[in-house]
Amino acid sequence: MLIIMIGVLHDSTSCHKKATEIFSELKTTHPSPKFIAVEHDKDIFETKIVPLRSAKSHCKEFNKEFSRIISDDEIDIIAQSIGFDGDVHKESFGDSNVVWLDEGRKMEIDIFKRPCGSLIYNRLVRFMIHARAGRLPAQGADRIAEYERLEDAIATKLYNSERDARWLEILKPHLTDGEEDYAFIVVGGMHTETTSGVIRELLEKENHTIQVIPTYG
């Protein structure tokens, strides 16, 4: 089975844009995947992460400095990329079978304790820090592009290989031996590298063909 792995940096607006383009292209070249696997738990993603994309007013109320330094459009762009890897495929593959790799995973409840949860709040704070330090243009569309260039350059590239082993067990019921079969997996970029114990290596050991399409670098 061919496994096409889309490697991402989580919550990155530039990776969000690139992943959208990748899936649009895959719709032409590989229109019928057996499944699309994403690095989320379905319930947490739908009830905790997706609502953060609509938290603009809560964030502006929580930190008044956001309105002074970050435009509404910039907040919207950053917000819409929160958890993008969980549903970026939908525009092109809305009816595909989704495999939730982190099904049953427990997350720290503190990151969701307020409407402007830390997943979005921390990114807005970092944007503000870059702006105050003069690392971003004073205005214009290039502010977001430069912000993401800075963020992507320092993105934490850590992984927990114990999760990868669990992912393999979740994937096994969906994997096939068919040479004409293929599927997509969207995960953090480190999981697509040739590192011992990551899901790419585990799938290769199961005799699956791997194709990696990165969204960054």
Side-chain angles (χ1 to χ4, degrees), residues 204-216:
E204 287 175 336
K205 286 183 176 179
E206 296 285 324
N207 296 316
H208 296 290
T209 301
I210 305 298
Q211 176 185 346
V212 176
I213 307 178
T215 59
Y216 60 93

Side-chain angles (χ1 to χ4, degrees), residues 78-136:
I78 293 170
Q80 290 309 306
S81 292
I82 299 299
F84 76 87
D85 49 305
D87 57 5
V88 67
H89 61 274
K90 280 191 172 181
E91 184 174 338
S92 297
F93 295 93
D95 297 326
S96 293
N97 176 35
V98 177
V99 177
W100 300 89
L101 295 174
D102 276 340
E103 181 180 358
R105 183 188 182 198
K106 304 301 180 184
M107 296 184 69
E108 294 181 19
I109 196 65
D110 283 354
I111 69 174
F112 303 117
K113 68 181 180 181
R114 59 175 181 256
C116 183
S118 62
L119 292 178
I120 180 173
Y121 181 81
N122 291 345
R123 291 190 67 83
L124 294 175
V125 167
R126 292 198 296 274
F127 187 102
M128 191 164 59
I129 290 171
H130 289 310
R132 283 174 169 168
R135 291 190 287 266
L136 303 181

Side-chain angles (χ1 to χ4, degrees), residues 74 136-144:
E74 288 167 341
L136 303 181
Q139 59 186 356
D142 288 345
R143 276 164 56 95
I144 283 286

Side-chain angles (χ1 to χ4, degrees), residues 36-48:
I36 301 174
V38 297
E39 192 179 340
H40 288 279
D41 169 87
K42 185 177 188 291
D43 180 64
I44 291 175
F45 179 75
E46 293 179 346
T47 66
K48 300 294 186 182

Side-chain angles (χ1 to χ4, degrees), residues 187-199:
V187 288
M190 286 298 289
H191 301 280
T192 69
E193 296 186 1
T194 54
T195 305
S196 177
V198 302
I199 190 63

